[in-house]
Amino acid sequence: MDLTQGYSPERMLAILKDRCRYLIERGSTLNNPHIPASYFQGWERITENHAQRLRELVAEVLDDKA
């Protein structure tokens, strides 16, 4: 805790980033097996505008299934 009442938004963001990094580097969560890097071969690497590009990709998949 960085405040007497709890956590600041900045500290919460840092905690979330650390957790996400841990999960990505680990390749799994406690309830799922390790996902090898080879599974993602051929997938588009999203390096900019992450949220927007992910929304676009999801929309494309959903449109294809409709």
Side-chain angles (χ1 to χ4, degrees):
M1 293 187 331
D2 61 339
L3 301 174
T4 55
Q5 306 90 347
Y7 297 93
S8 67
E10 294 81 14
R11 183 66 182 131
M12 288 300 296
L13 182 58
I15 292 169
L16 178 61
K17 285 180 179 180
D18 287 344
R19 180 65 178 164
C20 290
R21 182 177 297 110
Y22 165 76
L23 290 174
I24 289 168
E25 289 174 355
R26 182 174 175 208
S28 67
T29 62
L30 292 176
N31 295 324
N32 295 310
H34 177 75
I35 302 170
S38 60
Y39 177 82
F40 300 100
Q41 286 180 341
W43 288 31
E44 177 180 329
R45 185 174 179 89
I46 303 173
T47 58
E48 296 179 358
N49 301 319
H50 305 95
Q52 177 61 37
R53 185 62 187 137
L54 184 57
R55 281 192 293 270
E56 292 168 359
L57 291 169
V58 170
E60 288 174 16
V61 169
L62 293 175
D63 287 344
D64 288 345
K65 293 186 183 244

